[in-house]
Amino acid sequence: MRILLAIGTLALVSSPLGGRAETPAVREWISPNLRTYLQQRAGEFEQISTARKTELDRIAKYVKVRIDAGQTARLTFICTHNSRRSQMSQVWAATAAAQYGIAPLESFSGGTETTAMNPRTVAVLQRAGLQIDKPTAGQNPRYLVRFQQADPPLVCFSKVYHEDQNPTSNFCAVMTCSQADQNCPLVKGCALRVALPFDDPKNADDTPEEAKTYDGSCALICREMLYIFSRVKS
């Protein structure tokens, strides 16, 4: 499902990158915890390496060019199973775009194969302050993810990246794992392809480090999505 993000009332506030930038004056986040979480992540941009910022800036430029031309910017985050990293990226990209008033922006995710959105992914996003409902059951349930009170939810579930729910042309393909990047030398229809691999938190599943590892991955992805849209705004 495609979610269109509308620009809210804007005000001048301090930018994490220095100087002044326009961001929404009032944002009805789904919870105070989410507001705090976003503020914390936006204060961590100095943790992003120069090399990493180069790739993030490529995505920001794509978004800005599309929006300045009066077109919708579409981002599709791709990993192997569409269960962890790509799902988090989709959610945080939509949230970050709302934070900085960037629209029209549509955020998607997909895999090279279909599995399910991992329950650990759901749990870590909930710990960050998002509201997630599970209206369907089965092996590949659909989750409704909300970050704002008034906006419709993101509908998150595992799918192959080129299925009907996702765009087939004029989108930026963001490869969130090295395996998917290697297995998909060509992403048909994309206007830009960016390799942005994240370490797989799956490696910590069922270990004492599980929650800490997922929290770290979630914070990292949120931080980088916020950085992208702060650059679009600046």
Side-chain angles (χ1 to χ4, degrees):
M1 179 178 289
R2 302 183 179 189
I3 304 296
L4 193 63
L5 301 174
I7 297 179
T9 303
L10 300 179
L12 289 175
V13 299
S14 296
S15 167
L17 297 179
R20 293 163 71 85
E22 286 186 333
T23 58
V26 178
R27 188 58 70 185
E28 294 186 23
W29 298 116
I30 204 71
S31 72
N33 288 346
L34 177 58
R35 182 185 301 110
T36 299
Y37 190 87
L38 294 173
Q39 291 172 345
Q40 291 173 341
R41 302 291 81 78
E44 298 169 347
F45 291 166
E46 75 283 352
Q47 297 182 26
I48 305 173
S49 70
T50 300
R52 191 77 171 179
K53 285 180 178 178
T54 298
E55 298 307 305
L56 298 172
D57 284 341
R58 292 180 64 202
I59 301 171
K61 181 178 179 180
Y62 165 82
V63 172
K64 183 172 177 56
V65 167
R66 294 282 298 183
I67 290 176
D68 286 350
Q71 300 171 326
T72 299
R74 298 183 175 91
L75 304 177
T76 300
F77 298 92
I78 302 171
C79 66
T80 302
H81 298 124
N82 192 208
S83 61
R84 294 173 175 81
R85 292 163 288 180
S86 55
Q87 296 280 1
M88 284 189 264
S89 297
Q90 175 188 1
V91 170
W92 287 128
T95 307
Q99 165 73 352
Y100 288 100
I102 305 300
L105 182 285
E106 295 176 348
S107 177
F108 307 88
S109 68
T112 57
E113 58 186 86
T114 300
T115 56
M117 186 172 178
N118 193 275
R120 298 172 181 86
T121 303
V122 176
V124 74
L125 291 173
Q126 289 174 323
R127 290 198 295 273
L130 294 156
Q131 177 183 312
I132 303 181
D133 299 314
K134 182 183 176 183
T136 67
Q139 294 184 339
N140 185 17
R142 298 190 177 212
Y143 294 90
L144 303 182
V145 181
R146 289 181 172 86
F147 50 86
Q148 288 185 326
Q149 298 286 355
D151 289 351
L154 291 171
V155 181
C156 296
F157 62 101
S158 181
K159 69 200 80 66
V160 177
Y161 71 88
H162 52 68
E163 288 188 17
D164 292 342
Q165 296 86 351
N166 289 354
T168 57
S169 63
N170 298 320
F171 65 96
C172 175
V174 184
M175 315 306 290
T176 62
C177 80
S178 55
Q179 184 177 355
D181 190 33
Q182 295 168 2
N183 291 339
C184 291
L186 174 66
V187 178
K188 186 176 180 180
C190 74
L192 175 67
R193 175 198 175 111
V194 179
L196 196 69
F198 298 99
D199 291 338
D200 194 350
K202 178 182 178 180
N203 297 327
D205 285 3
D206 302 318
T207 74
E209 297 298 313
E210 179 180 290
K212 180 180 178 180
T213 300
Y214 274 82
D215 286 339
S217 294
C218 188
L220 170 61
I221 293 171
C222 179
R223 180 187 309 133
E224 295 196 351
M225 295 304 110
L226 286 167
Y227 174 84
I228 288 171
F229 289 99
S230 75
R231 297 291 288 177
V232 176
K233 181 56 67 177
S234 65

